[in-house]
Amino acid sequence: MSVGLEHYLVLSAVLFAIGLYGALSKRNTIAILLCIEIMLNAVNIALVAFSRYVAPEMLTGHVFAIFIMAVAAAEAAVGLAIIMAIYRRKGTVDPTDIDSMKR
Amino acid sequence: MSSQGFWLIFLLPVISFVLISVLVKPLTRRDSPVAGYITIMAITGSVILSIWTLAEVLGAPNHEIHVPDIIWVTIGDFTIKTGIIMDALTAVMVVVVSVVSLMVQIYSLGYMEHFVHHDGDTYTRYYAWMSLFTASMLGLIIADNLLLMFVFWEMVGLCSYLLIGYWFHRPSAANAAKKAFIVTRFGDFGFLAAILVLYTNTGTFDTAQLSDMAATGLLTGGILTWAAIGIFSGAMGKSAQFPLHVWLPDAMEGPTPVSALIHSATMVSAGVFLVARIFPIFAHSIEAVTLVATIGGFTAIFAASMGLVMNDIKRVLAYSTISQLGYMMLALGAAGIVLNHEGHVTVEAAKAAVAIGIFHLFTHAFFKSLLFLGAGSVNHATGTFDMRLMGGLRKAMPWTYITFLMGALSLAGIWPLAGFWSKDEILITALDGNTLLFILAMITVFMTAFYMFRVIFMTFHGEYRGGESEEYRHPHESSKVMVLPLVFLAVLAVGVGWWSLGGNFAEFMGEHHPHAAGFFDIFASSPWPIISLLLALAGIGLAYLMYGSKRISAEKIGARFKMLYNALINKYWFDELYENIIVKKALLGGIFAGFQEVDANGVDSVVNGVAEGTFGSGNIIRRLQTGQLQLYGLFIGLGAAVIAIVLFIVS
Amino acid sequence: MNLDLLAPEISLAATAVAVILLDLFAQRKGLLAIVSVIGLAVSAGFTIAMYGDPSRTIFNNTLAVDNFALFFKLLFLGIAALVILSSVDYVSKFTRFRGEYHALLVLSALGMMLMATATELITIYVSLELASISLYVLAGFLKDPKSSESSMKYLLLGATASAVLLYGMALVFGTTGTTQLGEIAQQVQTLGVQGVIDNPALILGIVLLIAGFGFKIAAVPFQMWVPDVYEGAPTPITAYLSVGSKAAGFAVILRIFSTAFGLPNWLSLDWGIVFAVLAAIGMTVGNVSALPQTNIKRMFGYSSIAQAGYLMVGLAAMGVASVGETIGQSTILFFLLSYAVANLGAFIAIIAITNKIDSDLIQDFSGMFKRSPLLALALTVCLVSLIGMPPAAGFMAKFYIFSGAVQNELLWLVIIAVLNSVISAFYYLRVVKVMWLGEPASAEKVPSSGALRVALTLTSLGVLALFIFADPIIKAAESAAKMFGS
Amino acid sequence: MALDFAFWLLAIVSVAAALAVVLLRDVFRAALALVLCFIMVAGLYVTLSADFLAAVQILVYVGAISILLILGIMLTRDVQRGSLSNKLRFPALLVALLFIGTTIFAVFNTPWGVSAGAPVEPTTATLAGRLFGENGYILTVEIAAVLLLAAIIGAIVLVREK
Amino acid sequence: MDSGWLLAIILLPVAGTILIAFIPGLSERLIRYIAALFTLVSLILAVIVFAGFDQSIGGIQYELKASWIQAINANFHLGVDGLSLPLVLLTAFLGFIVVLISWKIHERVREYFAWLLLLEASILGVFCSLDLLLFFIFWEIEVIPMYFLISIWGTGRREYSSIKYVLYTLFGSAFMLAGILSLYFTTEPHSLSMVDIANRSGVIVQSIMPAAVIFWLLIIGFAVKLPVFPLHTWLPDAHTDAPTAGSVMLAGALIKMGGYGMIRICVSILPNVAQDFAPLLLALAVISVLYGAAVTLRQTDLKRMIAYSSVSHMGFVLLGVFALGEVSLTGAGLQMVSHGLLTGLLFAMAGLTMHNVEERDLRKLGGLARQMPVIAIVFSIAGLGSLGLPLTSGFAAEFITFTGAFSSTIVEGVEAYTLLAAVGVVLAAGYILWMLQRTFYGPVLEQYNGVKDADKLEKVYMFAFVVLILLVGICPFILTDVIQLGVSPIASLIGG
């Protein structure tokens, strides 16, 4: 069976799931950011694959992916800034320790 | 005077009540007797009008005057009218009520003086209520429909309540008042139910129409019987018939004139009057009349038996009253049984049949109020009602003694006083109705004579035993204003019985049988009058032996029949049964307490429980909110996955 | 190219830039708020000028200028203006970055406006991120531990939710081959009922969209960030989050679901039921969890979850409704407006009070009627509205939104919802009780600035006005929703 | 055939790299694994005839985002306790597996409308047209610009001390 | 021309509220006078409206209709008929009287009178509304003033009681709202007008919901307010802990909204369903009467006792309503007015006694008839009326209710229910007399020497109450003639 759309979609799902798992289980906020980036990449793969196989002439998926990259960069920047701010105050980047508000 | 003028009989005391409560009370000094004068004037007016009414009715065809109704409330087809009826029954009753009331009001001027000057009472409150009572009682009598009767029926109950509780600061008086109201109300429930039943099935409240319907067969069967029984339950309450008799002895907590007026002569006989008023309905139900006769006969001997041992003079009289009311019921019931056996019962026949019972009511009113007023006079002299503290008052209070003796003889049924004539007719009717009841009635004759002369001997004979306290060391005759009514009533107690001679009274009520004509003819017609007279004399004799000459020791007899004596002195434990066992334990302590528990710990705690449950689940749900952001993220993923899976499964 | 149709957005962007520049030069920092509000007003002026014109699309169908979008634009502009007014006291405590604060507020409003206008998935996504990123920053603006924590949670969860949303968008794109809502609608309709049933990827895509947007509107179970973020964020921003970002989420959901997934009926019934279930759970969870709260901001967090539940009743009605019925949409619009006014009013009063007493605990509101009767009264009026009792906007909103549901045979949901309102009365009234029954901790009056008083007066009168003069507003909502009808 | 081989290679390596990101205790190494993963994804883009995108991927992700993240890791280095897993490991795994499961179910049960059309190659010019052209995403680009502005302001505000 | 009267009656107290609340610097005295003035004028207008009601034509009069929310076809629609008019009058009367009752309030006077007047306005609004939405709005508005009145000026567990009151009411009205909405959508064209819906009664055009469901949704709301067992437990708490004026308003006017709603909406709009479920509701009526009376007998707190007696007495209203006869409905209407006067007076007197004696535990009271004779007499009159003594309104109302119910041919077995309910009258005698005895009779207690009797103002309102009680008792036709005009069209809807 030659590689087709389904292969890319499964790969995308697997990568997304790995990212999701990491985001939910890592005890380091920066690692969570890393995992979110994996998830976004997974989405990008799906988008580009769709673009290639479903609507090859429009390149809409490519456009989408570019925007996602831009937003991801912005989000990473802001995210890091917040993590820095917390780190300066609390001296930790462990999300399980950052729970002063609950219930 | 138009026929609507009859309303005045009732309205005069109403005006008196309004005047006293609106004008006299704020405008006069506390001890001013103006209220008394107003009441006496108003009731004098009523007496005059009553006698005039009697005369009018005597002259009217069928002894009945029709007065047009006034429409009161209309709701669609439902109409309530107010109206009055003037017939023989009414005429007799208005005379009794207004005359006795007048005597009592005059007497009260003297009687209440003591309390006004010593205890800080006022004439106004007393006379206001007395006026209101008289008005209500007269209203009850003249009303031509059951609803209006019920209205006044309740009003007299209210006045009774107020006057029994006149000395409300005494807990015993307050309790007695409450008891009287509630026990009678218990009976009134039946009355109300009967009114509902009758209205629903006939569409009218009018007594005359109802009587006609009963006579013409429009109203029959179970409805009729149940209605009659319902009405009788009202009558049982008001007339203190077994088993609703318990309130009347306690009602003696009120001022004695009140006992004389309300609790012997008028209100308590309203039950008898009520039954008489719609007797056609009763007469058509053999069950109902048998019930009336049985309850009446039993009550007569049952109450008399308790009267045998009481030491409180008013209580003896109270039991006597219950017993005599039982007689009246017996008379009505027995007459009804007789009538029912005869077959077709017309309205006229039924109306006539009540003559015997009503005649006893008529005579009893006078001599019993006389006896009560006499007891009040004695109380004034001794400060007590306990006969064990009295004795020998014959010399100190000759007028009281003589009048009281007349009353007692009349009550005992001694020829030729009023009581003899009325009681004798009852005995004869009872014999016609039911032999067992007749025997009970005969025994009661003996008991009645005995307990009355027990009172006479303990109170007026022998040595004075000192009264209530030092203050009453030297008893003296009461003031003229008190003695005068006594004398007047004594005359009536002796003489009113003679109206029945030759069947005059019965004829007035509508009966047309031939009757024995003269004073002595009665003994010729049958042996029973002489036997009952002998029984009464035997009772007097026994009383003399035990309490006059003291040849027989009352204590010894008491000791020998200890069980019986205890039963009597404890009133067969009925108060105990009602108040402690049924009301306190079973109802208040049992069922009602159960409801209260259900309310507080059931219904309400369900409500509170729901609230707490909601709150609690809030506390549980917010535990999920751990502050761990990854948990929150987990829920996002999980939620999406679950929704997707559910949708996949569905589609 | 019709750039004039973009005048509201362009003026807003310009305002943001102007505010930042002004911050560099101006000595009187109060000017920043004034300039921002003026900018918002200008934008609102442009918006009103366009109101009532027939619907148009620009930029190759990426943006739609229609009554629906304009309704939301005005709503966002109003919300932003009120938040800025209510922030005046708050911001005056900042030593730096006051320009940035206002600029970010304006930028996020711009993002929300674009969300309401966009008709194309990519644009929707970028606009959403514009609004979100500004809000992430604003939530952490205080830089104290709580504020930063709230910002971090918001950002990390927001980004995760965005990823989920993007996956959903990707699947929708993959199944339909386009990102234009109108074209998606055509594709889905040509699939037909059986085609949709045989297309699990599309359904998964829709579910992931629900999850992604559910995060924005605080729908269960995507709502758990709400209490924490609300508690930590600066109070004006909490207010902004609770109404602005939620309204924007609903705007997008309304547009996507009624345009793209409105037909076939089977599909809309499907997501309608999903929203109905989420609504029932959401309001129950929100209300019940709000009961034991002691921190007022946190309580409002839970309460906003519950309010999202009520709003989703409208979404459910919208899904269940027959073709061409727009009662669900219009009831949501009216509810959002009423909720925004009442919630903002409540927050404005809370801002004024907490500024003085320096505590978010409900018990510290004790005796507020003595310290500032008008604040207490205004807060009470707003709380009454949030309970959904007359004579306040909230009542009309609930009546209207529930009537939409009953009409579409969702009586069971309405009964759950009205019972939930009863639960909510308890915790809202507890605040009232504390204010009016408690003894004040001190006799000191609670001061408030002119701007705040203006905002408070506007909102509390608005709460009453939306009740009494509901008719024109409901008509406006209906006309805004009508474009989804045919 | 070569394309198939390239796909499998890239796919396996990228999944391995992603797993490394998730499983490695050392965050720094995880970041390096992430860079590897990004590069593999760029390769995948090439197999999908998205040449321009692959370049952007290298530039933006490998060149910018990764560096940014590594910088962040460096700055918070002194608290390195590694990147352990929290208590939610198993639920998280469950969610991840559920996700894979539903997606795969959806992927294999959906009749994808695969187009027979040949991919546009090279993509740069077409993309430029789509992004900046008359009927393209020019407005979205502008919005993204504003977004970046907001992010820059935000980052500055957040990292600078009061 | 006469359309503005009702609006004026409702708006006058509102205007009073606004004046009192927002004019700064008013003295306590002035506030009281403003409150008295506005409620008095409102009362006078209500009397004029009552007098001007054309009994020869009946129907709905003094109508005022203005379009409000076109989208849902809601109108601002006011009007009175024979059923609502006496209740409007009662509310206006009580509204004025409670201002007098509150004359001695010195705590937070401004708020107090503002809330009191708003409360009156909202109750008046309920009775005047002919539009379901408007009706519901007034119904809900009432909750807030009452909440404040109980929680701020109340006694005992006032916070618990007030929130319980609110939640209970909202619980009921939650169902009611669902019912109203369902009703709205079952009509075609959708209508919220009570008149229109009732005129098309029974014709469920679009069956979104079974009529029975709608009926029960609505009845739950009304049953909470009336109250009907087992939804009554808010009442003892609220009545007991409310300030005197609050109790008077609550017992006097507020709970009447329940009975009124049942007749106005449940019975007249869904007569057939009402007939189907009448036996069940009659059973609840009997339970309410007897259970209420039984629990009353167990109370030891003066106000709590009166409160529970209301549960029992409002059971008679339920009996009258669901006996479904013309006479019984009239009786129910009369019973509502009568109970308003009697229980209003009872609470006023209880409040006065408690205020003057500073004791409310019946076990600790006694002998007060000597120390406060006027209060004792008036209290007794109210009590006797409450136990259904003839010549008081209580008797007239109860008797007409019983007769009407007993003779109603609509419901099977209604006789048994009526008789059982009538037992409540006997029990009423028990608890009323016990209460009077415990309070006023028995030995005079030293510690209460020197307690004050009623002052002039108090005598004035007592007198007003007593006169009305006797007037209605002696001349019930004043009200029954009017009420009958209102209920006979409703009764004629029922297939009997």
Side-chain angles (χ1 to χ4, degrees), chain A residues 1-97, chain D residues 3-4 7-8 11 14-15 18-19 21-25 27 30-31 34 37-38 41 44-45 47-53 56-57 60-61 65 68-69 71-73 75-86 88-90 92-93 95-97 99-100 103-104 107-108 110 112-120 123 126-127 130-131 137 140-141 144 147-148 150-152 154-155 158-162:
Chain A
M1 172 184 167
S2 84
V3 172
L5 177 59
E6 285 84 354
H7 292 79
Y8 285 96
L9 291 180
V10 171
L11 172 65
S12 151
V14 170
L15 280 178
F16 192 92
I18 293 170
L20 187 59
Y21 169 76
L24 297 182
S25 63
K26 299 295 279 183
R27 288 185 62 177
N28 184 320
T29 35
I30 295 179
I32 295 174
L33 274 182
L34 303 184
C35 294
I36 290 171
E37 298 302 338
I38 295 178
M39 289 160 78
L40 293 177
N41 268 281
V43 173
N44 279 349
I45 292 172
L47 280 170
V48 175
F50 281 133
S51 194
R52 161 74 179 77
Y53 288 101
V54 179
E57 59 285 341
M58 292 301 289
L59 295 186
T60 314
H62 295 222
V63 175
F64 210 151
I66 289 172
F67 281 114
I68 292 175
M69 287 179 196
V71 171
E75 242 170 21
V78 174
L80 268 179
I82 293 168
I83 293 168
M84 288 300 134
I86 289 186
Y87 175 67
R88 277 196 207 133
R89 279 204 173 60
K90 302 187 83 165
T92 177
V93 289
D94 186 344
T96 50
D97 292 343
Chain D
L3 222 53
D4 285 6
F7 169 79
W8 285 111
S14 63
V15 168
L19 282 173
V21 172
V22 172
L23 298 176
L24 282 177
R25 289 173 64 102
V27 193
L34 185 67
C37 182
F38 287 163
V41 172
L44 282 164
Y45 290 161
T47 65
L48 285 165
S49 356
D51 43 8
F52 179 75
L53 211 55
V56 174
Q57 169 83 4
V60 174
Y61 271 113
I65 298 181
L68 194 66
L69 291 171
L71 202 66
I73 293 166
L75 286 171
T76 59
R77 183 160 210 175
D78 44 332
V79 285
Q80 287 304 334
R81 285 184 305 190
S83 170
L84 303 159
S85 290
N86 62 11
L88 293 169
R89 223 170 22 249
F90 293 109
L93 190 62
V95 169
L97 291 176
F99 186 87
I100 293 177
T103 317
I104 288 176
V107 165
F108 286 105
T110 304
W112 297 102
V114 175
S115 162
V120 181
T123 56
T126 323
L127 256 181
R130 291 288 288 147
L131 275 174
Y137 288 88
T140 318
V141 173
L147 183 145
L148 288 173
I152 291 164
L158 287 172
V159 285
R160 288 189 61 175
E161 284 300 316
K162 276 187 192 170

Side-chain angles (χ1 to χ4, degrees), chain B residues 485-505:
Chain B
L486 289 180
V487 174
F488 187 79
L489 284 171
V491 171
L492 291 177
V494 171
V496 289
W498 302 334
W499 190 5
S500 74
L501 286 178
N504 279 333
F505 185 82

Side-chain angles (χ1 to χ4, degrees), chain E residues 304-322:
Chain E
R304 210 172 172 78
M305 188 149 203
I306 305 172
Y308 266 110
S309 83
S310 287
V311 177
S312 181
H313 279 105
M314 294 313 279
F316 295 140
V317 174
L318 192 61
L319 176 79
V321 173
F322 284 98

